[in-house]
Amino acid sequence: LALGAGTVLACQLLAGIDDRTVYDGGVPTGDGGVDPCNAVDLPPAPTSPPPDTNPITVTAALSQVMFGATDGGPYYGFNLDKTCTCPDIESCVPAPDAGSHCDDDGGIDNYARRAFEKINELSGAFSDAGGLITESKLNAALTSGLSGALIEITKYNGQSDDGQVTVTIYASQGIEGYPTPPAFDGNDHWIVDPSSATGQYYTDNAYVVNYTLVATGLNFPIVIGSATTQPVTVQLDEGIIEAKLDMNGNQLKSITGVLGGRWNPAKFLPSLQSVPDPYFGGYLCGSDPVYGIVKGIICASTDINVSSAGDRSGPCNSVSMGLGFQALPAMKGSVGSFVDAGQPCGAAWKDSCN
């Protein structure tokens, strides 16, 4: 399922009836209305959670992701910058002639989806190969056990409300026993990528309310590809997860929700050098012409600052991203080896939009 070609901008500022302004999803402001741009979009922590008398750990592997579509949605993500941007409003300082970066309905920030759509439509290059980063390719990698990510929740009381839990993300190089696909029955062992093996991608700013997990300030690495292919890593910084926990007693059945964050091109562009250029030959780095086009699309999509501290004052130097997801019970497996996928532009080669 390749992403659609629509490029309709969802964020609109319209002159409404009685001089009211309609933002994004059509919510009026003025005359007693509510501005969704400043609304709290996460449920609050429980006020009287039960004590952690017998805390448990639950682990799940991504089994499906949903990109949505620019033309009509559904829209996945969060209002990361608490601003509805469109077309003359920005939450960061754009580069000259950068154009407008409009949010999805409700101020949802997810400009990465637009970048993926444009990249995947490159005539003669990624379109013929089914796209570079598509929903179908990501889901094929997850369901086949080629690569993915693990979500681990620790210090959880197992009940509907818990005032504080810890959420840790592990990038995965795939399941042990690949190419046998995962059963997603809780017994699959997923190989942990060594770059995340120390558990450094975690947050204690997390809680459970009415079986809804809320985690903020989370870095979220996702490996696309594996040790046997050309791996590309998408890392979301200052990430957010809001997801429903389906529990059967102390046993996890599934996690279903939305994740989002800030995607720094400086952490993504260098990883593309392991990907072959399907049109001109060579690899996506350096002076390769297709890489230049891909970089241009990504850098033109920077709609947010790399840090919330830079919102409304810092430069537009990151790309907002959101995904719908489902994760099913899994187990952490062995730690994999560092991937040597080839570095045609050199081990020290770096790149960014600056």
Side-chain angles (χ1 to χ4, degrees):
L1 176 65
L3 294 179
T7 57
V8 176
L9 298 178
C11 173
Q12 300 177 0
L13 279 172
L14 303 174
I17 300 175
D18 299 328
D19 293 325
R20 292 178 298 173
T21 301
V22 180
Y23 286 87
D24 293 290
V27 180
T29 63
D31 298 333
V34 177
D35 180 358
C37 304
N38 294 318
V40 177
D41 52 7
L42 295 172
T47 55
S48 301
D52 292 341
T53 55
N54 188 24
I56 64 173
T57 296
V58 296
T59 306
L62 289 183
S63 59
Q64 183 183 12
V65 295
M66 291 80 78
F67 282 12
T70 296
D71 190 3
Y75 304 120
Y76 300 106
F78 301 95
N79 188 358
L80 300 172
D81 53 15
K82 296 296 183 290
T83 304
C84 287
T85 57
C86 186
D88 298 321
I89 301 172
E90 297 279 359
S91 68
C92 52
V93 181
D97 302 322
S100 299
H101 296 99
C102 293
D103 291 343
D104 293 330
D105 287 357
I108 291 175
D109 295 300
N110 189 357
Y111 227 79
R113 184 193 61 246
R114 291 176 170 87
F116 292 157
E117 289 174 352
K118 292 178 181 178
I119 292 170
N120 294 334
E121 292 160 10
L122 289 176
S123 176
F126 300 116
S127 59
D128 294 341
L132 176 64
I133 299 177
T134 67
E135 182 179 295
S136 60
K137 281 192 172 183
L138 256 176
N139 285 325
L142 298 176
T143 57
S144 67
L146 178 68
S147 61
L150 293 166
I151 303 172
E152 182 182 74
I153 307 170
T154 55
K155 303 176 185 178
Y156 174 37
N157 63 16
Q159 301 185 47
S160 62
D161 296 322
D162 192 323
Q164 184 177 32
V165 299
T166 298
V167 177
T168 306
I169 306 298
Y170 298 92
S172 175
Q173 296 176 348
I175 63 165
E176 296 178 0
Y178 179 84
T180 301
F184 290 111
D185 58 0
N187 295 312
D188 303 313
H189 288 73
W190 290 77
I191 300 170
V192 176
D193 188 276
S195 63
S196 62
T198 61
Q200 69 268 39
Y201 298 112
Y202 80 96
T203 181
D204 291 322
N205 295 320
Y207 54 86
V208 176
V209 56
N210 193 25
Y211 286 113
T212 295
L213 171 68
V214 176
T216 60
L218 181 67
N219 292 345
F220 201 119
I222 304 173
V223 174
I224 304 170
S226 75
T228 60
T229 61
Q230 292 84 28
V232 173
T233 300
V234 172
Q235 181 178 317
L236 302 184
D237 296 323
E238 292 194 20
I240 300 172
I241 292 178
E242 182 183 2
K244 199 72 174 179
L245 303 179
D246 187 0
M247 301 291 295
N248 181 14
N250 283 343
Q251 299 298 313
L252 176 71
K253 296 173 64 178
S254 66
I255 305 175
T256 306
V258 179
L259 62 90
R262 300 164 191 255
W263 177 42
N264 186 346
K267 297 181 179 180
F268 175 71
L269 292 173
S271 72
L272 288 175
Q273 70 171 308
S274 66
V275 180
D277 178 342
Y279 191 62
F280 292 104
Y283 290 84
L284 300 187
C285 62
S287 60
D288 177 81
V290 173
Y291 171 71
I293 297 172
V294 170
K295 176 183 175 180
I297 292 173
I298 292 172
C299 293
S301 301
T302 51
D303 66 320
I304 200 168
N305 190 261
V306 294
S307 169
S308 57
D311 286 343
R312 288 170 292 281
S313 61
C316 298
N317 53 9
S318 192
V319 183
S320 62
M321 185 173 181
L323 292 171
F325 76 92
Q326 181 186 63
L328 296 175
M331 300 180 70
K332 282 190 300 183
S334 58
V335 177
S337 58
F338 284 97
V339 177
D340 181 12
Q343 298 172 312
C345 283
W349 182 78
K350 303 293 182 185
D351 202 2
S352 69
C353 295
N354 297 329

